[in-house]
C-alpha cells in the first residue's frame, strides 16, 4: 500500500540530525542556534552572571539532549505502531510522544525561569527582544525553504 499522506508537523520534526532518514536540515541542525558569546555581549553580563549562565546552559543542554532523544524514540515507536495498525500500541506510543512533548515544554519553561533569576529586568527585556527578532528571521527562512534558507 502507498505510504500515508503527511500530517501536521511539530517543531523539531525536521531537525533529527545527520544520518536520520527524515533530517530536513541534515548536518546543519545548529547552524542558526543563538551564540552564547553574542548573547552575553549583547546583555553585558557580569562575570558572576556569566558563570551562572554557563552552568545553567551546560545543565540545560544536557537535559535537552536527553529529552530530544526520548522524543525521537517516541516518534519512531509511534511510526512503528501506526504501521502495525494495533490500536493499543498506537495509544501507548501516542502517550509517550505526548509525555516527551510535555517534558520538552517543561524544560523550556524551567530554562526561562532560570534565566529570569540570573538576569536583571533590563537584560531580560533585551534578551526577549533579541529572541523575538531571531524567531522572526527563523520563520522567514522557513518560508523560503531549506535551499534558500541555507544560502546565508
Amino acid at each position: 500500500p502507498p505510504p500515508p499522506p503527511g500530517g501536521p508537523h511539530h517543531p523539531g520534526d525536521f531537525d533529527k540530525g545527520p544520518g536520520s532518514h527524515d533530517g530536513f536540515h541534515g548536518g546543519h541542525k545548529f547552524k542558526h542556534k543563538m551564540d552564547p558569546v553574542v548573547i552575553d555581549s549583547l546583555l553585558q553580563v557580569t562575570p558572576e552572571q556569566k558563570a551562572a549562565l554557563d552552568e545553567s546552559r551546560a545543565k540545560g543542554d544536557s537535559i535537552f539532549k536527553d529529552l530530544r532523544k526520548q522524543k525521537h524514540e517516541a516518534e519512531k515507536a509511534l511510526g512503528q505502531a501506526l504501521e502495525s495498525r494495533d490500536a493499543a500500541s498506537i495509544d501507548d506510543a501516542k502517550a509517550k510522544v505526548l509525555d516527551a512533548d510535555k517534558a520538552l515544554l517543561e524544560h523550556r519553561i524551567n530554562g526561562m525561569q532560570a534565566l529570569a533569576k540570573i538576569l536583571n529586568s533590563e537584560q531580560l527585556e533585551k534578551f526577549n527582544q533579541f529572541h523575538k527578532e531571531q524567531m522572526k528571521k527563523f520563520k522567514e527562512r522557513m518560508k523560503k525553504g531549506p535551499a534558500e534558507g541555507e544560502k546565508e
Side-chain angles (χ1 to χ4, degrees), residues 4 28 133:
H28 305 290
E133 290 169 9

Side-chain angles (χ1 to χ4, degrees), residues 21-128:
H21 64 282
D22 55 353
F24 184 69
H25 295 295
H28 305 290
K29 179 174 169 182
F30 296 111
K31 181 176 179 190
H32 302 291
K33 183 177 179 182
M34 289 195 275
D35 183 353
V37 175
V38 171
I39 294 169
D40 293 353
S41 174
L42 173 77
L43 301 179
Q44 299 176 335
V45 298
T46 66
E48 295 81 12
Q49 287 175 315
K50 181 174 178 2
L53 287 169
D54 288 346
E55 182 180 335
S56 180
R57 286 173 181 138
K59 181 180 173 188
D61 287 352
S62 174
I63 293 169
F64 182 71
K65 184 178 178 182
D66 290 343
L67 292 175
R68 285 297 304 150
K69 183 178 178 187
Q70 289 172 21
K71 167 77 182 219
H72 179 72
E73 290 168 359
E75 290 281 357
K76 187 175 175 182
L78 178 60
Q80 292 169 346
L82 288 168
E83 286 178 17
S84 77
R85 298 182 184 165
D86 177 63
S89 295
I90 292 170
D91 286 344
D92 183 52
K94 175 183 168 184
K96 288 179 180 168
V97 170
L98 292 172
D99 287 346
D101 281 338
K102 181 179 177 185
L104 282 163
L105 178 59
E106 288 174 359
H107 177 64
R108 177 179 167 200
I109 292 167
N110 291 341
M112 290 306 294
Q113 289 173 336
L115 191 65
K117 290 177 182 175
I118 298 169
L119 302 178
N120 65 39
S121 59
E122 292 168 6
Q123 291 169 318
L124 267 176
E125 192 174 316
K126 270 187 189 177
F127 174 82
N128 288 332

